[in-house]
Amino acid sequence: MNKPKIINAQDYGFLPENDSYKNSVALQKAVDTGNVIQITVPGIYCISKQIEIGSDTKLVFGEGVILRREADESGVNGNAFINKGAKRREYNKNIEIKGLHLECNLVESDDYGVDSRIVGLRAQVAFIYVENLKITDFWCHGLLEKDYAIQVSAFKNIYLENLFITGDKDGVHLGWGNGFVIKNGRFCTFDDPIAL
């Protein structure tokens, strides 16, 4: 088995000073390489496009790195993060997100008729048809009334630890699947902190 390659997202142009469109394109290019993608330069990174994550991919956000959502210039907003196989109903495996600090910034996913949307999958970080998903050291602030922070369905083996979620919707929302661990969460949500 090959040792995972470490990719620095900054090498693809993912930088705090860039606008949200440039940063979205740059982060997607880095994520498309697979392996381990690191974001190490502290700062606020704005994104406006949905980031799609494939199998065998790990995103590592360093200390002081904050992602802030901005509305898409097209007027259509997807999820902040989703797995690539979601639209095709194909399982993605071995995905990890560590240290993501996400500011919703009054942006939610749109409901119907959007190519990037899966009906019923309405979260900032959304996965459907996923196996071996791990999310740790995750902060999400400013949820509005519709989008969950994390939503996972059709899953096999998920691990969520060290969560800090605030806002007006569910923190973690799980659909059908089997094998999950949720540990060490702090929630200040109007709706359910965790919904199963």
Side-chain angles (χ1 to χ4, degrees):
M1 184 172 169
N2 293 332
K3 184 177 179 180
K5 186 176 180 182
I6 297 176
I7 303 294
N8 289 310
Q10 288 79 17
D11 294 342
Y12 288 78
F14 188 63
L15 299 165
E17 61 266 25
N18 283 346
D19 65 39
S20 60
Y21 176 79
K22 286 181 181 176
N23 267 342
S24 300
V25 171
L27 183 56
Q28 186 64 64
K29 284 182 181 177
V31 169
D32 286 343
T33 67
N35 295 299
V36 178
I37 295 90
Q38 293 184 334
I39 299 92
T40 57
V41 176
I44 296 174
Y45 295 75
C46 294
I47 60 169
S48 55
K49 299 286 186 185
Q50 177 172 273
I51 305 301
E52 300 184 2
I53 306 172
S55 295
D56 302 311
T57 301
K58 179 177 180 179
L59 278 73
V60 180
F61 297 88
E63 187 174 345
V65 173
I66 297 170
L67 263 64
R68 178 179 291 158
R69 294 201 68 184
E70 288 189 354
D72 193 306
E73 63 277 2
S74 71
V76 176
N77 299 304
N79 310 96
F81 292 88
I82 193 170
N83 60 303
K84 287 187 175 185
K87 287 186 280 187
R88 300 184 302 274
R89 299 187 177 194
E90 295 175 1
Y91 274 87
N92 289 118
K93 299 181 179 182
N94 310 319
I95 295 174
E96 183 174 350
I97 300 175
K98 180 177 175 59
L100 173 59
H101 290 196
L102 180 64
E103 292 182 358
C104 300
N105 195 31
L106 301 178
V107 178
E108 292 185 301
S109 56
D110 293 296
D111 278 324
Y112 303 107
V114 181
D115 179 59
S116 60
R117 290 275 303 145
I118 310 299
V119 174
L121 198 64
R122 49 183 213 180
Q124 296 290 338
V125 178
F127 292 93
I128 186 168
Y129 301 104
V130 64
E131 183 174 351
N132 301 330
L133 169 68
K134 185 176 184 181
I135 300 175
T136 57
D137 305 324
F138 171 76
W139 290 23
C140 182
H141 299 303
L143 293 172
L144 297 179
E145 295 179 356
K146 182 173 64 61
D147 276 2
Y148 312 117
I150 298 172
Q151 183 181 13
V152 190
S153 191
F155 65 84
K156 301 174 185 176
N157 304 321
I158 60 175
Y159 184 93
L160 310 176
E161 184 175 14
N162 294 335
L163 313 176
F164 182 25
I165 299 170
T166 67
D168 292 334
K169 194 58 181 169
D170 297 10
V172 176
H173 188 93
L174 300 186
W176 61 274
N178 61 72
F180 67 89
V181 173
I182 303 173
K183 296 173 63 175
N184 301 328
R186 291 185 295 158
F187 302 92
C188 184
T189 55
F190 179 77
D191 210 338
D192 303 322
I194 300 172
L196 307 177

